[in-house]
Amino acid sequence: DAGVIQSPRHEVTEMGQEVTLRCKPISGHDYLFWYRQTMMRGLELLIYFNNNVPIDDSGMPEDRFSAKMPNASFSTLKIQPSEPRDSAVYFCASSLNKMGTDTQYFGPGTRLTVL
Amino acid sequence: DQQVKQNSPSLSVQEGRISILNCDYTNSMFDYFLWYKKYPAEGPTFLISISSIKDKNEDGRFTVFLNKSAKHLSLHIVPSQPGDSAVYFCAAAARRNTDKLIFGTGTRLQVFP
């Protein structure tokens, strides 16, 4: 398996623009997680899905952020409008089943820069 | 509010010596703890875990110790190798309540020759 795939790897945009990050989880994995990494806060969980259903979005910073998982092999994280403070590395991860009996497999991340 | 804290942002160790990375947590509901390693431009990868029913778990050069009364865990790497140079994240979960991991801010380990 190719692992978790994320695109784009790098994104530079201007404040106010819409940004869409994409993720393809490992085939057969039931859980998908979106994280944001910053120097100050480390790895923060934004939202996670189980069987394509959002379970916990309490980490989503504000209404400018939204995430979808239309099918088992694809998820998007959208920021609209983007702001400079959204600049960070965004990771997608997937796991086979309930955490504790498996671990999360991370993608390579998308480095977002908002000017 | 950081429920998982890694108070040392960086650590430098000589090759062959022991590396000790520390992690503290505040939530007494956490019952499962993990360490992830991250190289530049890559996603974190799982390294080792420990359940709260144990106080030690060993995997080759890596050992994790858990002190529940102090709400503290540590990762020992013996002997340290230059390839161990990476950022190490501590993570915790309350498996009975949720499927999500709470990560710390990470510690950057540099192993020099």
Side-chain angles (χ1 to χ4, degrees):
Chain A
D1 200 314
V4 176
I5 299 173
Q6 291 187 248
S7 64
R9 293 294 308 274
H10 302 273
E11 177 79 33
V12 180
T13 189
E14 292 187 346
M15 182 174 63
Q17 296 298 305
E18 177 180 296
V19 175
T20 299
L21 311 181
R22 297 173 176 80
C23 174
K24 176 179 169 51
I26 293 173
S27 177
H29 280 193
D30 295 331
Y31 288 82
L32 184 139
F33 305 81
W34 281 101
Y35 291 89
R36 177 171 67 177
Q37 183 192 6
T38 61
M39 289 294 293
M40 291 299 295
R41 300 181 67 84
L43 272 169
E44 297 177 275
L45 177 66
L46 301 176
I47 185 172
Y48 79 94
F49 297 82
N50 178 211
N51 292 323
N52 313 338
V53 177
I55 303 299
D56 186 341
D57 65 354
S58 59
M60 297 286 262
E62 48 198 274
D63 292 344
R64 297 184 298 107
F65 286 69
S66 63
K68 294 181 179 180
M69 192 165 185
N71 57 62
S73 60
F74 184 65
S75 178
T76 59
L77 177 67
K78 186 177 293 186
I79 308 172
Q80 166 63 18
S82 58
E83 297 182 2
R85 60 191 168 124
D86 302 330
S87 298
V89 181
Y90 291 80
F91 290 101
C92 175
S94 69
S95 66
L96 182 61
N97 51 30
K98 190 173 178 65
M99 181 275 307
T101 58
D102 192 32
T103 59
Q104 295 181 19
Y105 295 82
F106 283 77
T110 295
R111 181 173 293 278
L112 173 65
T113 302
V114 183
L115 304 174
Chain B
D1 181 31
Q2 285 286 120
Q3 297 185 66
V4 178
K5 301 177 183 179
Q6 294 177 256
N7 293 319
S8 297
S10 63
L11 176 67
S12 187
V13 173
Q14 188 173 30
E15 181 178 7
R17 302 272 190 167
I18 184 172
S19 295
I20 300 176
L21 295 90
N22 294 304
C23 178
D24 297 293
Y25 61 95
T26 58
N27 190 339
S28 58
M29 297 297 291
F30 288 151
D31 58 359
Y32 192 64
F33 305 89
L34 308 88
W35 286 93
Y36 278 75
K37 180 168 71 173
K38 182 185 177 307
Y39 291 119
E42 296 182 9
T45 56
F46 169 75
L47 184 59
I48 192 169
S49 64
I50 187 167
S51 167
S52 59
I53 62 173
K54 295 184 176 182
D55 55 18
K56 175 183 174 181
N57 188 27
E58 188 173 353
D59 183 2
R61 297 185 297 112
F62 302 90
T63 302
V64 56
F65 295 91
L66 176 62
N67 182 335
K68 290 186 289 293
S69 61
K71 294 190 176 68
H72 177 84
L73 64 155
S74 60
L75 175 68
H76 293 211
I77 307 173
V78 183
S80 301
Q81 299 175 354
D84 297 328
S85 297
V87 176
Y88 290 79
F89 288 98
C90 171
R95 285 177 295 174
R96 284 166 291 186
N97 298 337
T98 181
D99 302 301
K100 64 184 185 182
L101 292 174
I102 307 299
F103 283 84
T105 51
T107 295
R108 181 177 302 277
L109 172 66
Q110 182 180 5
V111 180
F112 59 92

